[in-house]
Amino acid sequence: MKKRTLAAICMMTVTAMLTACGGGSTGGTQTTAAAGGGDKGQEQASAPADGQVVINFMHKYCQPEQAPAFEKIVQMYMDEHPNVKINIETTTDNEIKSKLKLALGSGDMPDVYQTWAGEYTEKFIRAGAALDLTPYMEADPEWKDSFIPAAYSMFKYTDGGQYAVPTRFDGEVFIYKKSVFEQYGIEEPKTWDELLAICETLKSNGVTPFILGDQLSWDAPHWFGALWQKCVPEDVLEQQDFNVKTVKIDDPGYITGLNYFTDLLDKGYFNDNINSMEHNMALEYFYAGQGAMMYVEILEFNDINKGLNGDFGFFMMPTIEAEDAKGNQNKMFGAPEGMIVNPNSQNVDVAVDFVKFLTSPEMQKLVVEEAGHTSSTIGAHTDENTIPQLRGAMDAVLDFEGMSNWTDCGFEAGIVDTMCKLGQDFVDKSITAEEYIKGMQESAKTVREANAD
């Protein structure tokens, strides 16, 4: 999950009033809409006698090409439901985390708000700030079945509850320049050994295989996380170590995964100065003719298509067939973004109804077309609104057993800080893989003790 910084903080509102993380207590009382009710075109319960129903909605899609699409969706919902007033607070990727942390501490959470899978959502569940949507899904199986299964399951937690719905889809894949692969007769690799052979062909012809920029400290950990998913047993990674009560990070697969990355470094398959190059700078470097491959997020495809004039293809992280790779080879690294409903809202049913409207195929097609998003709703991507590479990637997702969450969402925040800080030292080879994992183990011990019963 990328942590980009924007040039400016984008703040805008779709109604006359801009709220700062309001908790849904402004006007109105609990509606009588049926659980899961209020489909597009379906009649909403009458407005309460004392005034409008007010819903406060916080998201982080503030870029100029994104925000208007969400404003339009909100306005369409309000047009169909005159008794409802929705206040939007739009902020940045990084700022929303700080705002929601403050709101959680004050107990003044929005009615509907943005989230990421894993530990990031679990802290809201523990605090009683995330509604279990299971009854609504059971009442409307068509809504439940409208999501890509691998994306939907990312918000189902250990108690069986569904505490968010997936919205923008994201996962990590390799992109490559088609013209370069064609020049050297290279086919897309299926296994790690095939990928190594490609790298050697490229290097022997004076082409840098991979471009990587880790100045902001999250890009290299995406490599590490994907390799850990391939090398660490699934139950250890996702059940033991993505749990604040049991996290240890002691499986040998963590070292194994880092060693696969070190092997690429030692063979000279990366560009120089990885830690001094920011991700977007690395992309520009790539567009300008340097390197043959990058490991990127699917949600970047539209920008990459423009930067390379369509000259790119993609492939998934190859299968590692060695005996020391004990992870699930049939999962995809990544996770969707999602939306949570605040169970303490005075208008829970209306908030759920709005989320259903937002995630409907019609509205998600609008988001794909006008905001350039990737969607977790089945049918949102069509040949008319999606470039072929992105359509292919979204179709490929359906073939995976599931998704293995971003490590910067699956691990607790303190562990993530250590992972990112020490990750740059590891890339610079100033610490070994063993020293890197030892540092993460120390952070894990602190987290485990802080969350002991």
Side-chain angles (χ1 to χ4, degrees), residues 301-306 312 381-393:
F301 269 27
N302 287 325
D303 290 337
I304 290 166
N305 188 57
K306 295 174 184 176
F312 81 100
H381 290 275
T382 67
D383 291 338
E384 289 72 34
N385 67 13
T386 305
I387 61 173
Q389 296 95 327
L390 181 52
R391 184 68 190 274

Side-chain angles (χ1 to χ4, degrees), residues 1-5 94 172 212-225 278-280 283 295-297 300 333 406-408 416 419-421 424:
M1 179 192 64
K2 192 162 290 129
K3 300 178 178 67
R4 289 194 182 116
T5 47
N94 285 330
E172 199 94 359
L212 174 61
D214 193 45
Q215 187 181 69
L216 298 181
S217 78
W218 56 260
D219 216 340
H222 277 195
W223 277 82
F224 308 155
E278 189 266 333
H279 178 77
N280 289 329
L283 279 170
Y295 196 46
V296 303
E297 296 177 48
E300 299 179 85
F333 180 62
W406 308 109
T407 43
D408 57 356
V416 172
M419 178 181 70
C420 291
K421 291 174 183 175
Q424 291 187 322

Side-chain angles (χ1 to χ4, degrees), residues 79 111 131 141 208 239 242 277 403:
D79 288 345
D111 300 273
L131 178 69
T208 302
Q239 296 176 29
F242 284 174
M277 184 181 295
M403 303 189 77

Side-chain angles (χ1 to χ4, degrees), residues 362-384:
E362 295 82 5
M363 295 304 104
Q364 286 300 295
K365 283 180 182 177
L366 186 154
V367 170
V368 169
E369 292 163 7
E370 299 190 16
H373 275 203
T374 49
S375 175
S376 298
T377 297
I378 296 171
H381 290 275
T382 67
D383 291 338
E384 289 72 34

Side-chain angles (χ1 to χ4, degrees), residues 84-275:
V84 178
K85 180 180 182 182
I86 300 178
N87 300 312
I88 296 182
E89 182 173 0
T90 310
T91 184
T92 67
D93 188 285
N94 285 330
E95 273 226 338
I96 196 168
K97 299 176 178 68
S98 299
K99 287 178 176 287
L100 287 173
K101 182 177 180 180
L102 291 172
L104 188 63
S106 68
D108 192 24
M109 294 288 288
D111 300 273
V112 177
Y113 59 97
Q114 178 111 28
T115 193
W116 289 266
E119 166 59 21
Y120 189 85
T121 290
E122 287 203 58
K123 66 175 175 284
F124 295 117
I125 299 172
R126 293 193 296 269
L131 178 69
D132 182 359
L133 294 166
T134 303
Y136 295 88
M137 295 297 179
E138 291 176 348
D140 189 351
E142 184 177 349
W143 184 31
K144 176 182 177 181
D145 294 340
S146 69
F147 300 103
I148 294 170
Y152 181 80
S153 64
M154 292 302 294
F155 292 106
K156 185 175 287 294
Y157 289 86
T158 52
D159 65 354
Q162 186 75 28
Y163 288 95
V165 293
T167 51
R168 186 164 70 161
F169 184 88
D170 199 10
E172 199 94 359
V173 300
F174 287 99
I175 58 167
Y176 64 91
K177 292 174 181 170
K178 282 187 174 181
S179 57
V180 173
F181 271 38
E182 289 170 1
Q183 181 179 355
Y184 299 108
I186 297 172
E187 300 290 333
E188 295 174 0
K190 301 296 183 185
T191 68
W192 189 259
D193 287 343
E194 290 174 356
L195 179 62
L196 292 178
I198 288 172
C199 291
E200 197 56 38
T201 295
L202 292 167
K203 184 184 176 186
S204 66
N205 284 281
V207 179
T208 302
F210 299 114
I211 301 298
L212 174 61
D214 193 45
Q215 187 181 69
L216 298 181
S217 78
W218 56 260
D219 216 340
H222 277 195
W223 277 82
F224 308 155
L227 289 167
W228 290 335
Q229 183 252 313
K230 297 289 187 183
C231 296
V232 178
E234 183 177 15
D235 58 340
V236 175
L237 178 66
E238 298 181 20
Q239 296 176 29
Q240 173 184 289
D241 291 344
F242 284 174
N243 186 320
V244 295
K245 295 181 180 295
T246 58
V247 57
K248 294 181 180 178
I249 314 183
D250 59 352
D251 189 90
Y254 286 104
I255 302 293
T256 300
L258 293 177
N259 286 341
Y260 278 104
F261 184 84
T262 300
D263 182 53
L264 299 179
L265 278 177
D266 291 344
K267 290 177 176 176
Y269 293 158
F270 286 100
N271 54 287
D272 296 329
N273 304 314
I274 291 173
N275 285 339

